Amino acid sequence: MRILLLGEYSRLHNSLKEGLLHLGHEIVLVGNGDGFKNYPVDFSLKATWCESLLGRIPRQILFKLFRFDIAKWEHGLRFYLLLSKLKNFDVVQLINESPIQTTKGFERYLLQQLVKQNGKLFLLSSGVDYLSVQYLLHNPVKKNILQPFLENPSLKKEYQYVLDYTSQGHQKIHEYLFEHCQGVIATDIDYVLPLAGHPKYLGLIPNPINTSELRYIPIENTAPITVFLGINQWNTLQKGILYFEQALAQVKEKYQEAVEVIVVQNIPYHEYIVLYNKAHIVLDQVFAYDQGYNALEAMAKGKVVFTGAEKEFLTHYGLQEDEVAINALPDVPYLVEKLSYLIEHPDAISAISMRARTFIEKEHDLVAITQRYLNMWAG
């Protein structure tokens, strides 16, 4: 089959591409690299002019005057110029409801043109979208990326890009895609909850992880215990990074030389991976039921990851008492307690490390997950 994958925010589509190529399919991946992460794509929508020395000043002036980022127009224009090359694919899959990341009206127009010249359309729920934000706003679930905003509405500016998915302009995109797509696929438990019972919901397909490219790193030297926290300044509130930072401050004071803490912010994906390879423990996010892509890759390497591992996740995968990841909560004393136990019991780190790798190999195998996508698209 000829398959077009549009958008990339986490390496999900890159991994799926690797699986599809392995199974003999023709794949084209289009995206903007997701900013500083700079994920590889076949055709780039990156706003290179706006990020150049020539374009940076007018971009800043226009944003200051009108609160509008002209990089959105550049994303859209680059996609428009690519449209003639994006024809006659058997399947088009969108990473989410705004894969081009241009203005609302232009996004809908471009998606309409894309749909007209290709075969089946599928949509992933792998981040915020219209239904997920509406669900979180109106359902007081215990793990909610909107929790800081719901508790403190003055944070509306920091949450504007999330709340923007409920705007009238985006609602029109949502309605168009749901009318024309074959269905919506959730990539983890967090996205199942808003979709449950919806006629377009096709089911959950876990993230594909290419374990052949992610070497398991056995836990050997645990002196000192190394804890890694990678920060993306654009989603610190949604990830609950403040809770991790406060917990780390207490742990560093408590254990001194027994602990090494690595904190990085806004670095490209390839640098991020190199730095966390030496870590025993990786702090991912607190407002999650299940693991996102960064957590899964860390687990594949044998890291003990603080992330989503709620009972809904445990039930879905038939896991019992043996942890494959630490269920993080927006609770500093709880995080300090969990970190302290691991620091004082390095054997527990080794045990969780091995279980994490085994879990990834069993439930996120690249070829098996890719085949599930192919079956879903064919059905």
Side-chain angles (χ1 to χ4, degrees), residues 258-318:
V259 175
E260 178 185 5
V261 173
I262 301 173
V263 179
V264 299
Q265 180 170 305
N266 290 9
I267 61 174
Y269 175 80
H270 66 277
E271 294 179 31
Y272 175 95
I273 296 301
V274 170
L275 286 169
Y276 91 10
N277 274 345
K278 65 180 293 189
H280 304 103
I281 299 169
V282 173
L283 307 181
D284 180 49
Q285 59 180 317
V286 303
F287 295 123
Y289 284 74
D290 196 348
Q291 301 93 56
Y293 209 90
N294 284 344
L296 294 171
E297 286 199 331
M299 290 165 67
K301 289 189 173 185
K303 310 304 179 185
V304 176
V305 185
F306 280 62
T307 185
E310 286 289 338
K311 65 179 182 179
E312 290 84 353
F313 157 77
L314 300 175
T315 299
H316 180 80
Y317 289 104

Side-chain angles (χ1 to χ4, degrees), residues 161-175:
Y161 92 91
V162 177
L163 298 173
D164 197 43
Y165 281 88
T166 65
S167 68
Q168 186 176 19
H170 182 78
Q171 186 176 353
K172 291 180 179 179
I173 297 173
H174 162 78
E175 290 170 350

